Amino acid sequence: MAKPYFITTPIYYVNDVPHIGHAYTTVAADVFCRWKKQSGGAVLLTGTDEHGAKIQEAAAKHSKTPKEYADIISAEFKKAWGLLNINYDRFIRTTDEDHEATAKSFLQKLYDGGYVKKGIYRGKYCVGHEKFMSDEELVGGKCPDHGKAPADYEEENYFFLLGGFRERIISLIESGRLAIEPDARRNEILGKLERGLDDISISRLREKTSWGIPLPWDDAHTMYVWVEALINYYTYGKPNGLWPADLHLVGKDILWFHSVIWPAMLLAIGEEPSRKVFAHGFFSIGGRKMSKTLGNVITPQQLADKFGVDGARYLLLAAFPFGADGDFDWARLVEKYNADLANGIGNLASRITTLAGGLDDITLGVGDSVNASARPLKAAYEEAMEKLDFFAALQTTQKLVSATDSYINETKPWELSGAGKKAALANLLGMLVGAARFIQPFVPDTAKKIFAALGIDDFTRDRGKPLSVSKIEPLFPRMENS
Ligand code: MSP
């Protein structure tokens, strides 16, 4: 039997509570996983990244030990994913025992393989990013994302001999064995690799950064949090027969770690690198970066309070193309909600179940001409989903919804009777099931309600059996833009 398709999200830092930036990646991963499950096995891993200086500092600010603080914030992430109906298979914490053990044995293998050496690291370190910053990345001497000048850093560290993997990583990417998507990101990574690849520091002096997993061969050092965090995918994937990972879904900010450092680490221990890394864009709120200082942070709870859980999930992915950067503002979200959900699938489901409600003996199964016009839409939808082009997949869904609306207006089933009426309603119900199937990964509860109103469990139900249709409650009440 083929192994399930293994999808991961980044594991999120526990320095602060989740916002809709974190929800964006996680909902996307969940949608993709639910879609994959329509045709086979798929597994989703998410979790929290809990070690390192960033968490140590945040905990101290709240007068908590790092572990106490991590427990609190990690629970907030779990709660948010519960709220958003994220169907993960494991929520991993880097303080989990199995992860600590795997991280140690992974690094020991790197060390035993001769891929680690000791040296002095000098550079500028941004704790917010947990990474060294090059001069080109700084603006006016400051990290542009955190608004602070990174600290001067000079420490005796262990290094991973990353530079030696340059050619192998380039050929993995060029051959397509390691896919980096979208294409523009792949070119960016290849361009950077062409300019060279340095070894990287993989440890911190424990006397300075105590909150971390000790190096197995020298406990005066803790592991560099990024190197340790990447291993989480392997901690879960390897013993569960899921390796190599099929898809790491990440924001564009952390693509380098996933597409260069991580595959090299895997090659160094003789493991298969992951198959694909997809980097999505970042969004801003009302044209500005989402930040506590600006006071424009939106939490998953706020979004769900306004639009419902399915509304929130839908809007995150329907607002702009997934690979690109975009902007959210409340007014545009309300417009989109009304257009696509209230006036779109919500209205369509009401119309059709009102027309067909209470009538006996209608069976599912569309006529040839409806089938012929739906086929290209199905193909376009599947192709878009395969490419993680959620935006295009939802546009196709809207096309099916409009076509179905037009079909109602043209055939006027309320003016028909007998076999003609039955055939028209069977077509409409079939088209509604098709639309519900398309949106099911995005809005699973809504799809469930539609199927329930037709008396079926899901779209896989046998054709030809009589439906039992009841009028559906409004799925997405219209919203005023205030
Ligand atoms: N802990 C690391 C990841 C380790 S993975 C082995 C980390 N954590 S994070 O909490 O900072 O999360 C970063 C991720 O959150 C981004 O890569 C992206 O997926 C998501 N986003 C955070 N803000 C976002 C936006 N404003 N827009 C879109 N995605 C955003 O980095």
Side-chain angles (χ1 to χ4, degrees):
M1 216 180 84
K3 87 171 181 65
Y5 192 92
F6 180 31
I7 306 165
T8 71
T9 75
I11 47 171
Y12 302 104
Y13 286 130
V14 290
N15 62 308
D16 211 343
V17 294
H19 56 58
I20 59 166
H22 308 119
Y24 188 62
T25 321
T26 313
V27 167
D30 183 61
V31 165
F32 195 67
C33 191
R34 285 174 188 265
W35 173 72
K36 276 276 169 199
K37 278 184 181 161
Q38 290 183 349
S39 57
V43 166
L44 175 62
L45 174 68
T46 190
T48 42
D49 188 355
E50 306 191 359
H51 290 120
K54 185 179 172 103
I55 311 307
Q56 197 175 314
E57 286 181 9
K61 238 184 243 163
H62 290 85
S63 312
K64 297 261 188 293
T65 66
K67 181 61 168 60
E68 285 167 352
Y69 191 66
D71 286 345
I72 296 168
I73 307 287
S74 180
E76 290 292 321
F77 274 91
K78 247 191 176 161
K79 205 169 100 194
W81 301 161
L83 168 75
L84 289 176
N85 204 359
I86 306 297
N87 204 359
Y88 55 77
D89 293 272
R90 162 104 186 248
F91 185 102
I92 194 168
R93 301 182 55 186
T94 52
T95 49
D96 287 342
E97 246 172 61
D98 61 342
H99 175 71
E100 297 203 355
T102 307
K104 281 186 188 161
S105 64
F106 199 113
L107 285 215
Q108 186 68 52
K109 277 188 201 156
L110 288 184
Y111 188 75
D112 294 344
Y115 294 107
V116 174
K117 72 158 199 236
K118 216 174 192 178
I120 301 284
Y121 200 96
R122 287 184 196 88
K124 295 199 178 295
Y125 194 72
C126 172
V127 174
H129 279 304
E130 289 282 18
K131 69 170 192 177
F132 289 102
M133 305 283 286
S134 66
D135 288 339
E136 300 94 76
E137 288 174 302
L138 302 178
V139 177
K142 290 183 177 171
C143 165
D145 294 320
H146 296 96
K148 282 189 203 156
D152 282 322
Y153 178 101
E154 180 168 342
E155 218 178 80
E156 187 179 55
N157 286 168
Y158 287 93
F159 284 71
F160 170 49
L161 303 180
L162 178 64
F165 289 87
R166 185 168 155 267
E167 271 77 34
R168 274 200 277 169
I169 301 290
I170 291 177
S171 75
L172 272 180
I173 299 173
E174 282 182 338
S175 69
R177 167 56 186 79
L178 170 61
I180 300 177
E181 292 175 14
D183 261 1
R185 301 276 172 226
R186 172 179 184 268
N187 296 339
E188 236 172 68
I189 294 292
L190 281 172
K192 204 167 156 190
L193 279 167
E194 291 300 338
R195 293 194 292 277
L197 186 61
D198 293 332
D199 297 339
I200 56 162
S201 150
I202 56 163
S203 75
R204 297 291 178 266
L205 277 179
R206 202 224 268 272
E207 60 190 44
K208 290 194 192 145
T209 310
S210 57
W211 179 235
I213 305 176
L215 287 183
W217 64 88
D218 183 351
D219 69 3
H221 290 254
T222 54
M223 292 176 197
Y224 170 39
V225 62
W226 254 108
V227 161
E228 180 229 308
L230 288 163
I231 297 170
N232 91 86
Y233 306 130
Y234 192 71
T235 300
Y236 178 69
K238 185 66 181 177
N240 290 294
L242 299 166
W243 206 258
D246 293 282
L247 171 67
H248 297 307
L249 205 53
V250 300
K252 62 178 185 176
D253 55 330
I254 57 174
L255 179 58
W256 180 256
F257 288 103
H258 284 83
S259 56
V260 176
I261 298 176
W262 180 225
M265 286 168 60
L266 287 161
L267 290 177
I269 67 156
E271 259 301 346
E272 279 203 71
S274 312
R275 297 200 176 277
K276 188 192 290 193
V277 188
F278 187 102
H280 64 70
F282 258 52
F283 59 78
S284 46
I285 308 286
R288 311 176 78 178
K289 183 177 152 56
M290 190 166 43
S291 92
K292 259 197 167 167
T293 342
L294 292 173
N296 63 351
V297 174
I298 300 175
T299 64
Q301 185 74 54
Q302 285 171 309
L303 203 64
D305 285 348
K306 175 91 176 167
F307 297 108
V309 169
D310 275 358
R313 291 173 56 103
Y314 182 92
L315 291 172
L316 283 172
L317 297 179
F320 56 87
F322 191 53
D325 290 338
D327 189 53
F328 278 127
D329 69 46
W330 287 103
R332 278 193 28 225
L333 290 177
V334 170
E335 266 168 38
K336 189 81 181 147
Y337 169 94
N338 282 335
D340 289 9
L341 297 175
N343 300 342
I345 185 77
N347 184 51
L348 186 72
S350 299
R351 279 185 97 184
I352 295 178
T353 58
T354 305
L355 286 168
L359 293 176
D360 296 332
D361 202 23
I362 298 186
T363 50
L364 204 55
V366 294
D368 290 345
S369 74
V370 170
N371 208 1
S373 50
R375 211 174 292 128
L377 291 179
K378 171 92 168 48
Y381 171 88
E382 297 293 331
E383 196 189 317
M385 289 299 283
E386 189 63 54
K387 290 194 298 203
L388 291 105
D389 190 347
F390 303 119
F391 186 71
L394 290 174
Q395 280 180 327
T396 304
T397 306
Q398 290 310 321
K399 276 190 201 155
L400 178 57
V401 168
S402 319
T404 311
D405 259 326
S406 309
Y407 185 86
I408 302 179
N409 301 341
E410 282 154 23
T411 53
K412 301 193 177 57
W414 55 91
E415 290 179 359
L416 302 174
S417 59
K421 180 168 190 164
K422 235 182 225 175
L425 290 175
N427 277 339
L428 284 172
L429 289 162
M431 288 159 99
L432 180 61
V433 168
R437 177 186 185 161
F438 283 5
I439 55 160
Q440 184 266 342
F442 299 87
V443 290
D445 281 348
T446 302
K448 220 185 268 169
K449 284 184 200 159
I450 296 175
F451 295 133
L454 307 189
I456 55 179
D457 293 335
D458 64 24
F459 54 84
T460 57
R461 182 194 147 117
D462 291 349
R463 289 164 145 249
K465 282 193 190 159
L467 298 174
S468 139
V469 184
S470 48
K471 185 172 167 14
I472 203 166
E473 291 299 308
L475 292 168
F476 297 101
R478 255 193 85 81
M479 219 173 259
E480 291 308 313
N481 215 338
S482 53

